[in-house]
């Protein structure tokens, strides 16, 4: 299970790097933008607007906490 958690943390890291190198935007946002004039924070994601607005902060914090927890498990 620890190896699986580590692999999944690595998969999410790849996603984070893609967003990081794309100026903190999902590379699929321009594709979705071609099909609507709506530009609310959640126009391209199936989340409530308040959650979509703080998406990176909320899920980034959860991701960091999971990295700390997996590192703790590896080191003990």
């Amino acid at each position: 299970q620890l190896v699986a958690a580590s692999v999944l943390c690595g998969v999410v890291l790849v996603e984070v790097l893609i967003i990081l190198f794309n100026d903190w935007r999902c590379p699929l946002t321009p594709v979705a933008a071609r099909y609507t004039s709506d530009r609310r924070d959640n126009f391209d994601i199936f989340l409530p607007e308040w959650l979509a607005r703080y998406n990176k902060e909320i899920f980034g914090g959860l991701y960091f906490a999971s990295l700390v927890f997996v590192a703790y498990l590896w080191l003990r």
Side-chain angles (χ1 to χ4, degrees):
Q1 292 175 347
L2 185 56
V3 173
S6 300
V7 168
L8 293 173
C9 286
V11 169
V12 174
L13 179 62
V14 170
E15 291 184 49
V16 169
L17 292 174
I18 289 170
I19 290 173
L20 177 69
F21 290 120
N22 199 40
D23 295 325
W24 288 108
R25 295 192 65 192
C26 175
L28 297 176
T29 297
V31 176
R34 285 188 272 173
Y35 297 100
T36 183
S37 59
D38 185 4
R39 291 298 178 270
R40 289 179 293 173
D41 289 323
N42 66 340
F43 88 94
D44 64 340
I45 190 169
F46 190 68
L47 291 174
E49 192 168 359
W50 67 268
L51 184 56
R53 182 174 299 120
Y54 300 107
N55 183 355
K56 294 179 201 99
E57 293 84 355
I58 293 168
F59 294 113
L62 290 171
Y63 176 61
F64 180 75
S66 71
L67 290 178
V68 170
F69 183 65
V70 169
Y72 165 76
L73 292 177
W74 270 108
L75 296 174
R76 69 171 199 152

